[in-house]
Amino acid sequence: MLGTLSQQEIEELLLRNITGRIGCRDGDQIYIVPVSYAYNDKYIIAHSSEGLKIDMMRKNPYVGFEVDEISDQRNWKSVICQGRFEEILDEKEKYYAMKFLVSRLMHTQLSETARLPDAVDEGQVVPLIRPIVYRIRMETMTGRYEFA
């Protein structure tokens, strides 16, 4: 049976998961990449180091975001969102966004862009990587499912 997820089911799926995919575009080039995220009922909060994805989103902030849960080919749920990339530049806001993100990801192994300053790895001080912290302001969200 195929169906459409309710708004509540969409929100629950976004809250339940921490890995999604961002699709961004620069001219004819489309780039889709998995990201760790936290959802706060309004935004997708994520982080990254400088690179192609950040460059593309700065040029064209309109992005797609997708999260799915797949048990098998006949039992799955998927949410697709459209929104706008917003880089968080205010240091206080960036701190709280990163704190929220790390609190959602705490039970997993963190990316090197999510390390705290002065992190020590096997007795060596790890160089601080300053992540780009951003949010996706949700404009539309749709969800579908199939179950046998």
Side-chain angles (χ1 to χ4, degrees):
M1 175 174 161
L2 289 171
T4 302
L5 296 175
S6 69
Q7 186 62 35
Q8 181 178 344
E9 291 169 319
I10 289 170
E11 300 273 336
E12 289 170 355
L13 189 138
L14 289 170
L15 286 167
R16 200 169 39 245
N17 289 279
I18 58 170
T19 303
R21 289 168 198 79
I22 288 182
C24 46
R25 181 183 185 117
D26 182 15
D28 292 334
Q29 184 178 14
I30 297 172
Y31 190 59
I32 301 169
V33 61
V35 295
S36 299
Y37 77 94
Y39 178 65
N40 70 358
D41 298 325
K42 189 175 182 182
Y43 303 106
I44 297 294
I45 307 293
H47 72 287
S48 179
S49 56
E50 291 279 354
L52 180 60
K53 171 180 71 229
I54 295 296
D55 290 344
M56 291 174 83
M57 291 190 299
R58 283 175 176 156
K59 288 178 186 173
N60 180 0
Y62 192 65
V63 300
F65 186 78
E66 186 265 345
V67 178
D68 53 39
E69 295 176 339
I70 303 171
S71 297
D72 57 49
Q73 294 299 309
R74 295 183 60 201
N75 293 281
W76 55 265
K77 294 178 182 178
S78 179
V79 170
I80 296 176
C81 308
Q82 302 292 324
R84 295 218 172 254
F85 162 82
E86 296 176 354
E87 187 170 344
I88 301 173
L89 300 172
D90 177 79
E91 288 301 320
K92 188 175 182 180
E93 188 177 358
K94 188 175 182 177
Y95 170 82
Y96 285 110
M98 195 67 184
K99 185 176 178 179
F100 174 67
L101 176 61
V102 170
S103 74
R104 287 280 292 131
L105 304 177
M106 261 184 357
H107 65 282
T108 65
Q109 290 216 353
L110 293 178
S111 153
E112 65 183 34
T113 59
R115 290 180 188 237
L116 297 174
D118 304 324
V120 176
D121 188 18
E122 297 178 18
Q124 301 290 326
V125 174
V126 176
L128 176 61
I129 298 171
R130 306 242 350 135
I132 306 301
V133 180
Y134 61 94
R135 64 182 160 232
I136 299 177
R137 181 180 300 272
M138 309 307 266
E139 294 178 357
T140 63
M141 296 188 285
T142 60
R144 303 277 292 165
Y145 68 87
E146 180 175 0
F147 70 88

